[in-house]
Amino acid sequence: MSAFGPTLGAIMTDRLPARERETLMALAEVIAPVSAGGGPGAGTLGTALDARFAALPLRTRKELRQALGALGQPLLRFALCGELRPWATLSPERRAACFARLGASRLPLARVLHEAVRRLVLSTYYSGDAALQSLGIGLPLHQRPPAVSWEGPMAGPEGGVVARGDRTVPPPAPPPSGIRRGAITPGTELVGNFRFRADAVVIGSGAGGAIVAARLAAAGREVLILEAGSRYEPAERTEQEATMLPRLMAESATRATTDLSIPIFQGATVGGGTSVNWMIMLRTPDHVLDEWQRRFGLRDLTPAALAPEFARIEAELSVGQVPDDAHSPSNRLLLDGARRLGWHAIPARVNARGCQRAGTCSSGCRYDARRGAAQVYLPIAFAHGARLLADTRAERVRVVARDGGSGEAPRKEVDAVAHDPRTGEAVGTITVEAPIVVVAAGAVETPALLQRSSLGGGAVGRWLRLHPTTAVMGVYAEETNPLAGMPLTAMMDEFTRTDANGYGFWIECPALGPALAAVSMPGFGAAHATRMLALHRTAPFHLPHTGRRGPAHLQRLRDGGSRGSTARAICPRSCRCAAREGVHGGRRAPAPGQRRRAGHDTARAAAGAPARGRPGAHRQRTDRAQPTRPVLRACQRDLPDGERRPHGRGVARG
């Protein structure tokens, strides 16, 4: 069975026009290594691209059609890459040169067109069975015994963060979720027109919505939860990136800023982001609380006042420290490299119990070891009578009765649309009447809903804060296999307060599936394929950046489809630059008592080389993502000659 996604018969509701498809296939032949062996041929890739395109959200399909149509226009193609002839008539070498010229252009439009097509082709290609086999990627963990020491259960007595047990057999089948029957209604059962009443309606079931729903329900309120995403039982979570990410992530895992400079990975399922994140649990640092008191007057949010609240949440989520012998090679490299340099690094505390170390956290935990909103707070809400409508997108909130002086909350109505999760088509309309409406739909969807509802004033959507993260890949002589083991079990926080404003960055090790790795690594064609073949020896390091940046804002878009209005984040230059400044910051003059060129020294120490550094001028680039070359060069010492080029991508985590 192909890992490209659902069957063609189920999803071929829309196709690329012939001219746009011809352009896509001509470019796909030079972007993916279809002629280099070890992967599907052009015909198989074409079928997979058709399926992938048809399964994308309507707005994304429209934008891709526009991009491919633009690339097919002779005059525009000549202006962007100096070629009038159609792509299909060019030699592979000429096609590759013209496509590379798009990516290197100073024109934002050219770079957007280049990146849109590159991401589509590479993510689709590296989701196919043959491409995965060429990378040495076998069956998911639940279908085989553990293959490396850092995946699967560990020896020893049961209990704790990591599962303990027999390593000679696949992990056991997941148990039923235990959620009471009728608590969750899927979109397939919401065909028609419905009207509900409740004491409170909560929009969103993630870290914010689920805990509010649990507290309100436990207090005796009748609670109805609206969740735009779907519910998947543990046994439905296949541990396959290609099938699960489009189901669990917003916009089928294609959400990004308007210029595609920053992908935005946000959970869009029951449990929200807590169902796909990497589980590290960080208390708000004291210096951040101090800043909140100083800048915003939040004097009740002191470390002493919040300590019992943090402790309560950690107890509810079964938070514990990752054992020292449970780290993957990437996380062990980070801990050992920091220790050699004398920098502060700590093992993570995670919200897990009995983790099988499958490495597929972003694809949804098949073993329900993650203690997220869907495992902890939603069951509490359901036990007190709350209900959840899945596949149900809130379209607007209407205030239908103002406060008449009684002191009670004014009556409101929420209009929503239910969708069939298999096709994305609208199947029902829902109106919920409630005096209390809690909007907890995430940093993008919450302001978009308020905009559609004409609530909140002109500032709504104007202060979106992304969390830029720069990726650095280190290639090593020994196997590191970033696809297996627990992600993000360590953190180096030596440089979280290094700039003039008291901000900086930290380093962590994320999960890295083949499709995500393919779009994160730069380039295309043979050079890109060489990097991918070294994936089993690659260790990914993420540098999340702290501090105040220029805010992004949301632009309302109307796609005309069944899903109604939506929004797209627009990032100003100051926000895009944030994904680079942390790495560049390592080249600036150090503060007293600190080392110089943090990123470079960390990479060398993690690789087993002695730390060294020399002063370097800080270059601010605001037009394209170009990470500091010395930092990345130190992580690429084992690439073949001629392939030691820097690469990295800025992403934002939801």
Side-chain angles (χ1 to χ4, degrees):
M1 175 181 175
S2 172
F4 286 122
T7 60
L8 288 178
I11 62 175
M12 288 300 288
T13 58
D14 197 359
R15 297 174 182 268
L16 273 173
R19 182 177 297 178
E20 282 77 5
R21 190 181 189 279
E22 180 183 78
T23 297
L24 176 61
M25 290 311 306
L27 292 172
E29 291 174 3
V30 297
I31 295 172
V34 293
S35 60
T44 306
L45 180 58
T47 302
L49 285 169
D50 287 338
R52 176 73 187 282
F53 177 82
L56 291 172
L58 176 60
R59 190 191 72 196
T60 306
R61 293 202 303 267
K62 285 184 176 180
E63 292 174 344
L64 277 170
R65 280 199 300 268
Q66 292 170 353
L68 292 167
L71 289 172
Q73 295 295 324
L75 293 180
L76 182 59
R77 185 169 57 246
F78 180 79
L80 295 179
C81 59
E83 184 58 70
L84 282 170
R85 292 173 294 173
W87 293 97
T89 65
L90 303 178
S91 67
E93 294 76 15
R94 180 59 181 162
R95 255 180 285 169
C98 289
F99 189 67
R101 185 171 174 179
L102 289 175
S105 173
R106 289 187 174 274
L107 297 176
L109 172 62
R111 299 198 302 274
V112 168
L113 296 175
H114 173 276
E115 194 62 15
V117 177
R118 193 189 77 92
R119 289 183 190 177
L120 174 66
V121 172
L122 290 176
S123 62
T124 302
Y125 176 81
Y126 283 102
S127 296
D129 291 339
L132 297 181
Q133 291 171 8
S134 72
L135 300 178
I137 300 172
L139 297 171
L141 183 60
H142 72 274
Q143 297 179 9
R144 58 171 175 81
V148 292
S149 61
W150 53 89
E151 69 175 356
M154 299 175 62
E158 293 186 4
V161 168
V162 179
R164 308 281 176 167
D166 188 355
R167 291 182 51 82
T168 64
V169 296
S177 62
I179 293 176
R180 68 175 177 82
R181 184 176 180 84
I184 299 178
T185 304
T188 51
E189 298 179 14
L190 294 170
V191 179
N193 301 318
F194 298 86
R195 188 174 185 89
F196 301 97
R197 286 187 178 181
D199 295 329
V201 56
V202 178
I203 302 170
S205 64
I211 194 168
V212 169
R215 303 295 193 239
L216 287 173
R221 303 275 188 171
E222 183 181 0
V223 177
L224 183 64
I225 307 165
L226 305 182
E227 170 55 57
S230 300
R231 159 72 176 171
Y232 296 97
E233 286 289 336
E236 296 179 276
R237 302 165 199 164
T238 64
E239 297 188 293
Q240 292 180 317
E241 185 184 36
T243 55
M244 294 310 300
L245 288 191
R247 295 176 182 176
L248 301 178
M249 295 288 191
E251 298 183 42
S252 297
T254 63
R255 174 167 285 174
T257 52
T258 50
D259 60 358
L260 301 186
S261 63
I262 302 181
I264 302 175
F265 296 116
Q266 288 184 293
T269 183
V270 171
T274 72
S275 294
V276 296
N277 65 19
W278 299 328
M279 301 187 296
I280 191 170
M281 301 294 291
L282 301 173
R283 293 189 176 191
T284 308
D286 290 356
H287 71 271
V288 174
L289 296 176
D290 292 341
E291 180 185 1
W292 290 355
Q293 295 178 57
R294 185 175 63 255
R295 296 187 61 219
F296 307 112
L298 302 177
R299 306 199 182 281
D300 293 334
L301 298 183
T302 65
L306 289 179
E309 304 301 328
F310 289 142
R312 177 187 180 185
I313 295 293
E314 290 168 351
E316 292 172 339
L317 297 179
S318 305
V319 174
Q321 183 171 303
V322 176
D324 188 63
D325 55 351
H327 297 290
S328 68
S330 298
N331 287 279
R332 176 52 59 191
L333 284 166
L334 180 60
L335 288 170
D336 292 347
R339 176 178 51 80
R340 289 172 185 156
L341 291 165
W343 293 347
H344 189 260
I346 56 173
R349 288 168 53 80
V350 299
N351 58 314
R353 187 170 62 196
C355 176
Q356 296 284 346
R357 301 190 299 166
T360 54
C361 297
S362 297
S363 299
C365 182
R366 181 180 174 87
Y367 313 101
D368 255 359
R370 179 204 313 274
R371 306 296 293 162
Q375 291 75 33
V376 177
Y377 295 111
L378 290 180
I380 294 174
F382 298 149
H384 289 87
R387 294 170 294 159
L388 186 148
L389 306 184
D391 312 303
T392 301
R393 174 186 167 96
E395 292 294 335
R396 61 188 49 83
V397 179
R398 293 181 287 112
V399 180
V400 296
R402 298 291 177 179
D403 183 3
S406 65
E408 296 181 357
R411 187 164 57 89
K412 306 168 188 70
E413 289 185 351
V414 178
D415 297 327
V417 177
H419 298 86
D420 186 327
R422 298 164 298 188
T423 64
E425 295 299 319
V427 296
T429 61
I430 297 162
T431 300
V432 185
E433 180 182 330
I436 299 174
V437 177
V438 179
V439 183
V444 172
E445 294 298 337
T446 290
L449 173 59
L450 294 176
Q451 286 178 337
R452 294 194 297 269
S453 306
S454 300
L455 296 174
V460 172
R462 301 295 302 180
W463 300 99
L464 174 66
R465 297 284 183 172
L466 300 181
H467 189 184
T469 301
T470 302
V472 178
M473 311 290 187
V475 179
Y476 296 84
E478 63 275 9
E479 182 179 10
T480 59
N481 192 355
L483 288 76
M486 293 178 70
L488 220 170
T489 62
M491 183 181 77
M492 194 285 290
D493 57 356
E494 180 77 13
F495 299 98
T496 55
R497 303 178 67 187
T498 55
D499 69 12
N501 295 314
Y503 298 103
F505 63 92
W506 70 87
I507 301 178
E508 61 191 28
C509 300
L512 192 67
L516 179 58
V519 299
S520 298
M521 293 184 181
F524 59 92
H528 184 277
T530 299
R531 298 187 185 102
M532 288 298 294
L533 288 174
L535 188 60
H536 67 290
R537 296 186 293 111
T538 299
F541 299 97
H542 269 191
L543 283 75
H545 309 291
T546 65
R548 301 191 297 273
R549 307 290 178 184
H553 65 275
L554 296 176
Q555 178 189 59
R556 276 186 68 185
L557 301 173
R558 295 188 178 273
D559 61 20
S562 60
R563 292 187 182 272
S565 303
T566 186
R568 174 62 59 86
I570 300 177
C571 254
R573 287 186 172 184
S574 58
C575 181
R576 295 196 299 270
C577 190
R580 302 181 290 278
E581 287 185 359
V583 180
H584 283 302
R587 303 182 67 196
R588 302 175 188 169
Q594 292 182 334
R595 294 178 182 269
R596 191 182 301 275
R597 299 180 65 199
H600 191 180
D601 285 352
T602 302
R604 291 185 56 80
R612 62 180 175 85
R614 60 182 181 275
H618 171 52
R619 297 176 298 133
Q620 278 197 327
R621 298 288 299 274
T622 58
D623 56 341
R624 68 186 78 171
Q626 291 290 335
T628 304
R629 292 178 179 270
V631 175
L632 296 159
R633 192 180 300 122
C635 288
Q636 296 174 317
R637 57 191 176 88
D638 292 319
L639 281 179
D641 290 342
E643 295 300 328
R644 296 184 183 180
R645 58 193 66 180
H647 59 268
R649 283 292 183 270
V651 302
R653 305 190 305 180

